[in-house]
Amino acid sequence: MKVSLKQSQYFWLSAISLGVIILVWHLCTDVFEIKPPDIFPGPTEILETFIEKLYSRRPDGATLLVHLGASLYVTMVGYLLGAVIGIPLGIAMAWNRYVDKIVKPLFDLLRPVPGIAWIPLFILLFGIGTFSKALVIFLGALVACVVNTFTGIRQTKEVHLWVGDIFGATRTQKLFKIAIPTAIPMIFTGLRVALGMSWAALVAAELLASNIGLGYMIQQSRALSRTDIIIVGMISIGIVGAVLDKVLHIIEVRVAKGMNAE
């Protein structure tokens, strides 16, 4: 009961804060007209543009769902590949000092370089297709997953490992029964951070060079001074990012419950 009450309070607080933002937006645009409507459109016009863009290909040659699908596909390819490689790599680096010594120097060189910095190089090498954009996303997701997984494994308490020694657990058993379950929150934090970085890197790549996707739609709308479509694109990015983050949170809760049940 307490949990449901807290969830209800959180929902209504979120709804009220969102409503206040929309109200202020409406007052600034439709009531006080701080800026001309073609430069700073109000929420009503944005909603109309959003609905129109669901079936209209103008002015960028594709509907909103087509752009969204293209962006989501590239993001998931790079993101999942980064997670599949980054999480085991982070575990291996934290659990095996030889792996850490071999990989860490190269990783320390790559980690400070933001994903956006790779975009010009990958465009020159691989063009503006899916592969170059997925590669940018992969590198960003890889770094976030490795760092958080490594930190989570290293934060395993020594006393828990000593208990494993007392019960005769092997090193592999301690890894899978103690270290990894302990690191689950940090691993999922890395996945959520990587997801945000993936969206940011993708939009940046599409803004620079692309022929489809939300970033391309925003860039084309900027050239045509279509502020309404730009805002629709930004809102779409935010909504999809929030939904994916929520999905990750649900998966995290279920994985944690499953490991606790064991």
Side-chain angles (χ1 to χ4, degrees):
M1 182 65 181
K2 290 182 179 179
V3 175
S4 61
L5 182 60
K6 287 182 179 179
Q7 290 177 343
S8 177
Q9 290 175 343
Y10 176 77
F11 170 79
W12 285 112
L13 286 173
S14 301
I16 291 171
S17 64
L18 183 60
V20 170
I21 292 173
I22 294 176
L23 177 61
V24 172
W25 182 10
H26 171 72
L27 292 174
C28 290
T29 54
D30 297 331
V31 177
F32 299 109
E33 296 184 355
I34 295 176
K35 291 287 186 179
D38 57 333
I39 296 178
F40 188 25
T44 304
E45 184 179 347
I46 295 302
L47 179 59
E48 293 174 354
T49 302
F50 181 86
I51 295 173
E52 179 186 352
K53 199 71 182 103
L54 291 175
Y55 60 85
S56 175
R57 295 174 176 269
R58 296 178 298 171
D60 44 67
T63 63
L64 176 62
L65 293 180
V66 171
H67 286 304
L68 179 59
S71 295
L72 198 56
Y73 171 73
V74 177
T75 300
M76 288 297 101
V77 169
Y79 171 73
L80 292 176
L81 188 60
V84 167
I85 296 177
I87 292 175
L89 183 60
I91 293 172
M93 290 173 64
W95 197 248
N96 190 304
R97 56 177 180 156
Y98 295 108
V99 175
D100 186 34
K101 288 182 178 179
I102 293 171
V103 178
K104 198 170 185 298
L106 177 61
F107 185 76
D108 286 341
L109 288 175
L110 295 177
R111 183 173 60 179
V113 182
I116 297 175
W118 293 99
I119 295 174
L121 176 63
F122 290 157
I123 289 175
L124 289 174
L125 292 176
F126 309 112
I128 62 173
T130 300
F131 183 74
S132 59
K133 289 179 286 188
L135 198 55
V136 172
I137 295 167
F138 163 73
L139 289 176
L142 178 74
V143 170
C145 289
V146 169
V147 169
N148 284 273
T149 302
F150 180 90
T151 304
I153 297 294
R154 282 293 177 91
Q155 286 180 349
T156 305
K157 294 182 179 179
E158 288 292 335
V159 64
H160 294 163
L161 298 176
W162 292 341
V163 171
D165 291 333
I166 291 173
F167 283 94
T170 64
R171 184 170 173 80
T172 302
Q173 288 174 328
K174 287 188 289 184
L175 172 63
F176 285 96
K177 296 294 184 180
I178 300 174
I180 293 179
T182 302
I184 285 297
M186 284 297 298
I187 291 174
F188 273 93
T189 298
L191 288 171
R192 295 169 80 170
V193 171
L195 183 60
M197 294 175 64
S198 297
W199 264 123
L202 173 72
V203 174
E206 290 178 343
L207 283 171
L208 289 176
S210 183
N211 52 17
I212 197 169
L214 292 175
Y216 172 77
M217 184 183 78
I218 291 173
Q219 176 65 11
Q220 292 295 107
S221 301
R222 182 200 65 81
L224 297 171
S225 299
R226 289 293 304 272
T227 311
D228 54 340
I229 299 181
I230 293 175
I231 296 176
V232 166
M234 294 169 62
I235 292 174
S236 301
I237 292 168
I239 291 174
V240 174
V243 170
L244 292 176
D245 186 75
K246 183 64 176 179
V247 170
L248 275 178
H249 177 68
I250 294 172
I251 295 173
E252 177 184 1
V253 171
R254 293 187 176 181
V255 169
K257 285 183 178 179
M259 288 193 167
N260 291 332
E262 294 180 359

